[in-house]
Amino acid sequence: MSVSRRGFVRSVGAGTVGVVSSSFVIGRGREAWAFSPDEQQQAQAQVFDDGFIRISSNENARGPGPSAIQALHRVISPRAGRGYPPDHTNALVDAIATAHGVPAGNVITATGSGPILAGAVHAFCSRERGLVTAAPTYATCESTARGLGYPVSAIRVDAGLALDLDAMADAARGAGLVFFCNPNNPTGTAHPRSEVEAFVRRVKERSPETAILVDEAYIDYAYDASVSTVRALGQELPGVFITRSLSKAHGMAGLRVGYAIGQRETLQKISQAWHLGSMNTLSAAAGVASIEDRAHIADEAAENARVRSFVVSTFREMGYDVPMPHANFVLVDLGRPASWFRDQCSQRKVTVGRDFPPLEQTHSRISFGTMEEMQQAMNVFREVLRA
Ligand SMILES: Cc1ncc(COP(=O)(O)O)c(C=O)c1O
């Protein structure tokens, strides 16, 4: 069924219950695309905001920082009519390399980190050497591997919703790639650097050919200093690399910038296996400005922490046992199906996260919007959950 944008708004605006399916409503962000390519057509027809509080895709409601916005304005000039990558992407690679203290040859950029995740599966997995991932976790690697017909071991998170390191390490013997999301989306749990390092060394000792991708998309939001980057391991060990996204703390989801850091040979395998996108001048310039503006990212993390405390403490006051997430979202055990909660909230113009199997009968993921949005959203949640 095709639903026009106007028709969608009308039906929701009129408070029509049940006309708009939850898969339609939640398919707004990139994540839903990664989860279910079949929903792409529906997602394309979706409205943006239109009176909805959209807290379903872990984007940053505050958008890019002032330096990034200024950089965007600066590059809107006739000069934008000239130059293909690497004209402008070299500056971005240099800024990333400087920020991380690594040589430029140890960095690749992409139009979001998503293409790097997909490229890693193309580069390192095969019908013989599968993917090891978690359940639930960010879905791009898994959906890419399944699409290619490669074996997938999706290891359920443990009782505390942390990655099951022992089971993942066991499954990694002979695997092509391990996807290790730290902090993990959607659970919001994170492992200290020492644990990630021990895991990586253990896997590489037993299975030296296995590549390991540590996805650090949310690491700027980690509140515990022991949770920090394992970038140095990528410099030391072949096939080990980290990925970062500018879609979260940098607030640049719509500008599509991501990158990876690892050994040059490791990264070359990815860029040779898969097209990482052709980055435009504006995204590159905004990326440079944002990466150089470390004070802004610290401010963003502080503001996220303020909103996070509010959301977590409000849920706790409502009687839910919510662990503090290392992220800009929270996964809450509501003891009811995520689809029910999503539909109830969407009728009240709040969109929350999709199903996350195997937790979809109990847990819902809520991304953090602005403080004002979350104050309104928590009122909606209170009303829905009281019912
Ligand atoms: C853990 C994780 N990795 C990667 C991505 C992809 O981000 P992007 O392609 O916008 O950089 C996301 C997006 O939500 C994510 O949650």
Side-chain angles (χ1 to χ4, degrees):
M1 181 184 77
S2 98
V3 182
S4 73
R5 181 178 184 280
R6 194 172 298 219
F8 171 80
V9 175
R10 238 196 338 259
S11 65
V12 171
T16 314
V17 177
V19 170
V20 183
S21 79
S22 58
S23 65
F24 180 84
V25 172
I26 62 153
R28 297 166 72 91
R30 175 164 187 81
E31 280 197 309
W33 288 38
F35 179 63
S36 168
D38 292 340
E39 291 190 340
Q40 285 191 15
Q41 222 182 335
Q42 287 184 332
Q44 274 164 343
Q46 302 232 345
V47 292
F48 283 89
D49 302 331
D50 275 344
F52 275 74
I53 296 179
R54 193 168 77 135
I55 43 178
S56 53
S57 289
N58 298 351
E59 291 143 339
N60 181 334
R62 289 170 294 280
S67 336
I69 301 270
Q70 275 163 21
L72 287 168
H73 283 288
R74 250 195 330 271
V75 290
I76 299 175
S77 74
R79 180 78 188 103
R82 293 195 186 252
Y84 283 95
D87 273 16
H88 46 275
T89 46
N90 277 346
L92 178 61
V93 166
D94 288 344
I96 294 165
T98 304
H100 287 273
V102 299
N106 294 115
V107 175
I108 50 170
T109 58
T111 48
S113 58
I116 303 177
L117 270 50
V121 172
H122 283 268
F124 301 114
C125 294
S126 64
R127 287 188 188 277
E128 292 70 42
R129 301 177 69 83
L131 171 75
V132 175
T133 185
T137 192
Y138 190 63
T140 293
C141 285
E142 178 170 349
S143 55
T144 305
R146 291 201 191 278
L148 292 165
Y150 297 163
V152 173
S153 300
I155 308 294
R156 191 185 173 119
V157 293
D158 68 18
L161 302 188
L163 300 181
D164 186 337
L165 302 185
D166 289 341
M168 286 179 78
D170 287 346
R173 277 180 200 268
L177 175 71
V178 177
F179 177 69
F180 192 109
C181 194
N182 198 56
N184 188 37
N185 174 15
T187 57
T189 52
H191 294 270
R193 192 188 54 74
S194 56
E195 283 181 21
V196 185
E197 177 166 355
F199 172 86
V200 169
R201 292 196 186 282
R202 188 167 153 200
V203 170
K204 291 304 271 185
E205 262 162 37
R206 292 171 174 183
S207 189
E209 298 304 313
T210 300
I212 304 174
L213 186 178
V214 182
D215 182 330
E216 298 182 345
Y218 297 95
I219 204 145
D220 293 312
Y221 297 124
Y223 54 81
D224 184 335
S226 70
V227 176
S228 62
T229 182
V230 291
R231 172 187 59 220
L233 277 180
Q235 300 303 105
E236 179 193 330
L237 299 168
V240 176
F241 58 103
I242 63 159
T243 54
R244 294 285 183 99
S245 168
L246 270 64
S247 302
K248 311 302 173 188
H250 292 265
M252 289 175 42
L255 288 161
R256 313 303 309 127
V257 183
Y259 61 92
I261 301 178
Q263 290 186 355
R264 181 191 288 263
E265 300 69 28
T266 306
L267 302 183
Q268 270 172 354
K269 285 183 188 156
I270 302 170
S271 50
Q272 282 163 9
W274 193 240
H275 186 47
L276 296 177
S278 186
M279 190 175 301
N280 67 70
T281 317
L282 279 81
S283 302
V288 170
S290 196
I291 281 171
E292 288 177 348
D293 189 353
R294 294 187 197 201
H296 172 68
I297 299 305
D299 287 350
E300 261 307 308
E303 179 57 13
N304 183 69
R306 192 171 79 93
V307 176
R308 174 171 57 195
S309 299
F310 166 71
V311 173
V312 168
S313 61
T314 309
F315 268 117
R316 287 179 182 165
E317 281 159 22
M318 288 160 64
Y320 294 94
D321 182 17
V322 186
M324 190 64 80
H326 293 266
N328 64 344
F329 56 84
V330 64
L331 187 72
V332 187
D333 183 353
L334 298 173
R336 312 184 206 201
S339 58
W340 172 85
F341 185 61
R342 202 161 52 235
D343 285 342
Q344 292 294 315
C345 293
S346 79
Q347 287 165 26
R348 293 162 177 84
K349 293 200 155 197
V350 176
T351 63
V352 298
R354 62 170 173 84
D355 280 2
F356 289 98
L359 304 175
E360 79 281 11
Q361 293 305 318
T362 45
H363 290 66
S364 289
R365 194 196 64 191
I366 295 143
S367 312
F368 301 150
T370 61
M371 183 61 105
E372 293 71 26
E373 286 174 326
M374 296 319 288
Q375 282 162 346
Q376 287 181 47
M378 289 310 303
N379 287 338
V380 167
F381 299 160
R382 204 177 278 111
E383 181 187 316
V384 165
L385 293 167
R386 233 190 344 244

